[in-house]
Amino acid sequence: MKQRIRLKIMALIGIVSMLFAGCSSKETQQSAKTKETNVDPNVQVEAPFEGWVEGLPKITAPKGFDWKQFQGVELNVISENTPPSSALAANIDQFEKVTGIKVNIEQSDLGTVVEKVSLDFNAKSAKYHVIYADPYQILAKYSQHFVNLYDFINDPTLPPIPGGLEDFIESQLEVDGYMGSKDALYALPYDAPTMVLAYRKDVFEKYKNQFMAEKGFDWTPGPNLTWEQYYEIAKWITEKAKEGVIKEVKYGTGHQAKQYDSLMCDFSNILAANGGDYFKATNLGSIGKTNPGKSAMNSDVAIESAKLYKKILEVAAPGSTSWDWSGLAEAFAAGEIAMAPEWHEFSSMFENPEKSKVVGKVAWSVLPKGKVRNAHIFGGTGIGINKYASDKEKKAAWLFLVWATSPQSQYMILKSELGGSTPTRHSVYKLPDVQKGMKPGTEESKQMPNLLPMAATLEAWKKENVYMRPKIPQWSQIDTFIFTELSKMLADKQSPEKAVKRIAKQSDQATGN
């Protein structure tokens, strides 16, 4: 009897031990891992990078972490030609000096980046270790080829993200970092271009009373101005310029309506403002989805939006149908145009005397309102790591991501002489000099001209105002359908009704719906 009781007790002890072992296995593994690397994850030590600013989260690493352990590793970074990449390339010695890692940053137009990344992933060669993961043309289609960054975030032996994921602007983290679900994080927010309205404040101030006397409403750009009123303003300025009444500009508005991705972006602002979208399914622009279902481009809202867009382009600068975002920015900087829906990071160009005739004459606003809301297309991108890289290269790449997306690097980029870029971090916008830089005429706004549109851009980033295009694997193909059919419409080769219906038909064929 005693023997039987003893055996039962031993069995119970064994079960409890197994349960305890299962619950603590993660802790045991982590403990073994930290023992092997001689680091103490309970103590974070400031990293030896230059440029930290009071008020920003610091780059740190566990006590005992060797920042030079990957010395000799060479990382190839591929990126679109963007201000942050140019600024990082100009200051890459800061990272290389601390880590001993050599970084080569290759910049091209987005189409070339997409092509090269596609070839690299298909070959599984890891020619590029760090990738500019455009959410729509790269991440949505190739997410399975990226490292899950949670593997590094949850590794106590590696440097953490300074300020944590919560310091990134949430909507940008979702669209830049995830695909299909939040189980895996593939990229960290890197840049954040967003379309808002640039306008000539000198023109709007000088002719305000005359316009109001003729048209009966205040034309000052702001959240209550509608797209229909925008059309009236653009038409009036163009007519007065032709009559010689207005001499400061030639045209009321200009647009990026070239048969290219820029046309889709430009049109999307009006479509979304009217409550429309490219597919009937909701929330495609944040986490994304493999199959978006049926197209929404055969709706009355899509037809009305296409008609209004065509009407606006009929009174816009004639060059609009040959301009992408750069062409539009150059025309605005040359003083030809009174208003332009444009990516906010062109502000530095408009305030550069060597590139612009409108320095000090530009103001920024949210885009006009449609039937439902003010809508602003977001064009930001994250950076991720190629999963076919070696373990050593992946960890070296993680150090680069931590540094490149850190608040102090984003602050450095913002102040860069190469034009800078606006941060994706809450903490940077809280800095006193950044707050001052958002106000025209301050010394800080002259040092950081890309902050001048930020009052409007921060409004544009709010959930009710931002527009994220569908993040689906088929997007690059559907994007082409959109700008091709809209371009035919603008050239009077087909009606707005036919254009949107053709987009809907081709979209459903591409997605199998």
Side-chain angles (χ1 to χ4, degrees):
M1 186 69 176
K2 286 182 180 179
Q3 179 69 18
R4 195 177 299 165
I5 292 170
R6 192 179 296 114
L7 288 171
K8 283 184 178 181
I9 291 170
M10 288 175 68
L12 283 169
I13 291 170
I15 292 168
V16 171
S17 298
M18 286 172 67
L19 288 170
F20 179 78
C23 291
S24 62
S25 61
K26 284 185 180 178
E27 288 87 345
T28 305
Q29 288 168 11
Q30 287 185 352
S31 176
K33 200 168 190 178
T34 56
K35 223 171 190 181
E36 285 172 16
T37 54
N38 296 314
V39 301
D40 183 355
N42 297 313
V43 180
Q44 290 290 315
V45 178
E46 184 179 344
F49 289 105
E50 300 172 4
W52 179 75
V53 174
E54 186 71 36
L56 295 180
K58 296 180 179 180
I59 300 175
T60 64
K63 185 179 179 182
F65 181 81
D66 179 10
W67 281 96
K68 286 280 178 75
Q69 64 185 282
F70 304 115
Q71 184 161 345
V73 171
E74 190 164 332
L75 294 178
N76 295 323
V77 180
I78 187 166
S79 169
E80 185 181 4
N81 272 318
T82 62
S85 293
S86 298
L88 282 181
N91 293 278
I92 199 63
D93 60 311
Q94 292 184 21
F95 177 77
E96 292 178 339
K97 185 168 67 175
V98 170
T99 64
I101 298 166
K102 171 68 177 169
V103 181
N104 307 307
I105 299 178
E106 178 183 325
Q107 297 186 73
S108 303
D109 63 274
L110 183 57
T112 302
V113 173
V114 173
E115 184 181 351
K116 288 187 174 183
V117 168
S118 172
L119 290 170
D120 198 26
F121 281 156
N122 288 334
K124 300 181 180 180
S125 64
K127 176 182 177 182
Y128 299 105
H129 309 99
V130 177
I131 292 163
Y132 184 81
D134 180 272
Y136 312 101
Q137 301 204 41
I138 294 178
L139 183 62
K141 194 172 183 179
Y142 301 112
S143 61
Q144 71 273 23
H145 299 287
F146 285 89
V147 169
N148 180 358
L149 299 181
Y150 283 135
D151 292 345
F152 301 118
I153 292 170
N154 296 328
D155 187 337
T157 69
L158 293 174
I161 294 171
L165 288 176
E166 58 272 22
D167 191 39
F168 289 108
I169 293 163
E170 185 180 5
S171 61
Q172 296 176 19
L173 180 65
E174 286 189 352
V175 71
D176 291 339
Y178 300 101
M179 181 56 204
S181 78
K182 287 191 175 181
D183 293 340
L185 177 67
Y186 300 112
L188 297 179
Y190 180 63
D191 61 16
T194 304
M195 283 185 75
V196 286
L197 184 67
Y199 68 96
R200 287 285 297 278
K201 60 184 177 183
D202 57 329
V203 172
F204 275 78
E205 288 168 3
K206 183 175 179 180
Y207 301 100
K208 178 178 178 179
N209 292 337
Q210 187 177 348
F211 178 85
M212 284 187 69
E214 292 188 29
K215 295 294 181 178
F217 68 90
D218 185 351
W219 72 349
T220 307
N224 296 318
L225 191 75
T226 69
W227 277 109
E228 287 287 353
Q229 290 173 326
Y230 180 92
Y231 163 77
E232 292 293 335
I233 295 167
K235 184 180 178 185
W236 188 87
I237 292 175
T238 299
E239 288 173 351
K240 295 299 180 186
K242 283 181 181 176
E243 293 169 10
V245 176
I246 294 178
K247 295 182 172 61
E248 290 84 356
V249 295
K250 295 179 182 177
Y251 306 103
T253 186
H255 286 259
Q256 45 189 271
K258 179 181 179 178
Q259 187 175 329
Y260 182 58
D261 179 60
S262 57
L263 172 52
M264 178 280 301
C265 293
D266 201 40
F267 169 72
S268 294
N269 295 316
I270 293 176
L271 176 66
N274 283 334
D277 210 333
Y278 293 104
F279 291 92
K280 292 178 181 178
T282 57
N283 299 322
L284 292 178
S286 55
I287 304 301
K289 198 172 183 180
T290 304
N291 190 332
K294 297 289 286 184
S295 172
M297 286 299 285
N298 50 10
S299 66
D300 290 340
V301 171
I303 294 170
E304 288 171 18
S305 300
K307 285 180 177 178
L308 177 56
Y309 186 69
K310 186 175 190 299
K311 186 167 79 167
I312 290 171
L313 265 292
E314 285 169 352
V315 299
S320 294
T321 52
S322 65
W323 293 335
D324 60 7
W325 39 77
S326 297
L328 173 60
E330 287 166 7
F332 188 86
E336 296 180 10
I337 299 164
M339 302 184 291
E342 184 58 287
W343 301 101
H344 78 281
E345 291 177 350
F346 277 106
S347 179
S348 58
M349 174 184 176
F350 298 158
E351 300 302 326
N352 184 342
E354 295 179 6
K355 297 180 179 179
S356 172
K357 295 179 180 178
V358 298
V359 175
K361 298 177 181 179
V362 184
W364 296 83
S365 167
V366 294
L367 289 172
K369 188 177 183 179
K371 291 189 173 181
V372 175
R373 64 179 180 130
N374 304 85
H376 309 77
I377 192 166
F378 175 77
T381 293
I383 50 174
I385 301 171
N386 191 330
K387 82 172 189 180
Y388 304 111
S390 68
D391 287 344
K392 199 171 183 180
E393 289 168 338
K394 287 175 186 174
K395 287 183 178 179
W398 173 249
L399 300 191
F400 176 78
L401 259 64
V402 167
W403 174 76
T405 66
S406 69
Q408 72 185 56
S409 289
Q410 293 208 345
Y411 182 75
M412 171 190 72
I413 290 167
L414 178 63
K415 300 192 81 170
S416 168
E417 293 178 1
L418 297 171
S421 179
T422 50
T424 59
R425 296 283 204 146
H426 290 296
S427 58
V428 181
Y429 290 109
K430 293 176 183 176
L431 293 176
D433 64 334
V434 173
Q435 291 278 321
K436 290 176 185 175
M438 296 183 201
K439 298 173 184 176
T442 61
E443 279 304 311
E444 289 81 3
S445 70
K446 293 172 185 174
Q447 294 167 4
M448 298 175 281
N450 268 335
L451 287 176
L452 287 169
M454 283 314 301
T457 306
L458 290 170
E459 282 297 312
W461 284 347
K462 289 181 178 178
K463 190 174 182 180
E464 63 269 25
N465 296 328
V466 74
Y467 173 68
M468 309 288 195
R469 72 202 85 168
K471 194 165 69 172
I472 57 174
Q474 308 90 341
W475 180 250
S476 58
Q477 187 179 3
I478 290 165
D479 183 12
T480 303
F481 297 152
I482 295 165
F483 64 68
T484 300
E485 299 304 331
L486 289 177
S487 187
K488 290 178 188 175
M489 175 191 79
L490 296 178
D492 290 323
K493 292 180 179 178
Q494 64 183 3
S495 67
E497 292 90 344
K498 187 173 181 182
V500 296
K501 286 178 180 176
R502 282 183 61 82
I503 292 168
K505 183 179 179 181
Q506 292 173 92
S507 296
D508 286 340
Q509 288 173 345
T511 60
N513 291 290

